[in-house]
Amino acid sequence: MLCSPIDSPQMVFGTVVRWATKKGRPKMKPVQLLSPPEHTLSISRAIFDVVKEHGPLTISDTWDHVKEMGLRGLASKRQMKIMLRWMRERQKLRQICCHNGPHKQFLYTTWFTNPKNMPSPSPTRKLQPPKP
């Protein structure tokens, strides 16, 4: 009986070696905000109010609502994303994943939102119908 090339001992040994030498994903360090505590508190309260009022939101939807508010301490979308991550670490917000067909959508919501009562997310991308 001949060994197939897939079952050869060298192939198995190489697979085991590759598997054993892989490093795990590095742990992310906790976010350390550089803004003063007063600014951090006001920004986090404003973001929390936006998410609480408008329901589960994507990052871009949250940014649009925060821009409408005219929050002075928040300079950029990048800073808001860092604040959202910090709020997630402190368990002020939670992140959920909605599968919309083959696409995933990550939404931020408060801990008090019941996932069964959430409205279904509207697709942000307009999908083109397949051409025959």
Side-chain angles (χ1 to χ4, degrees):
M1 181 181 229
L2 295 173
C3 288
S4 67
I6 295 173
D7 296 336
S8 70
Q10 295 147 347
M11 189 82 133
V12 172
F13 181 74
T15 303
V16 170
V17 168
R18 277 192 304 276
W19 178 78
T21 57
K22 280 187 182 175
K23 292 183 179 179
R25 195 165 136 197
K27 299 286 182 187
M28 303 221 19
K29 289 192 275 184
V31 175
Q32 299 212 351
L33 301 174
L34 301 176
S35 59
E38 305 86 33
H39 288 273
T40 303
L41 185 64
S42 65
I43 292 169
S44 65
R45 279 188 181 162
I47 292 174
F48 183 82
D49 291 341
V50 164
V51 171
K52 186 177 179 183
E53 181 180 336
H54 297 286
L57 296 172
T58 61
I59 289 177
S60 58
D61 292 339
T62 307
W63 176 242
D64 292 339
H65 287 293
V66 168
K67 278 196 307 188
E68 288 173 6
M69 288 179 63
L71 199 59
R72 266 196 285 156
L74 204 56
S76 64
K77 188 174 180 179
R78 180 173 181 249
Q79 185 183 2
M80 187 200 69
K81 288 166 77 172
I82 292 170
M83 282 295 299
L84 285 170
R85 184 170 155 222
W86 179 79
M87 291 172 74
R88 232 179 46 229
E89 286 177 1
R90 305 251 175 196
Q91 295 186 352
K92 295 175 188 259
L93 294 177
R94 67 181 177 147
Q95 188 179 33
I96 56 175
C97 178
C98 288
H99 294 275
N100 189 6
H103 305 287
K104 287 183 183 177
Q105 197 172 34
F106 293 97
L107 303 171
Y108 284 91
T109 182
T110 62
W111 282 96
F112 313 112
T113 307
N114 188 358
K116 294 177 184 172
N117 298 337
M118 287 191 316
S120 61
S122 60
T124 54
R125 300 181 207 178
K126 294 188 178 186
L127 299 176
Q128 299 289 333
K131 294 180 181 178

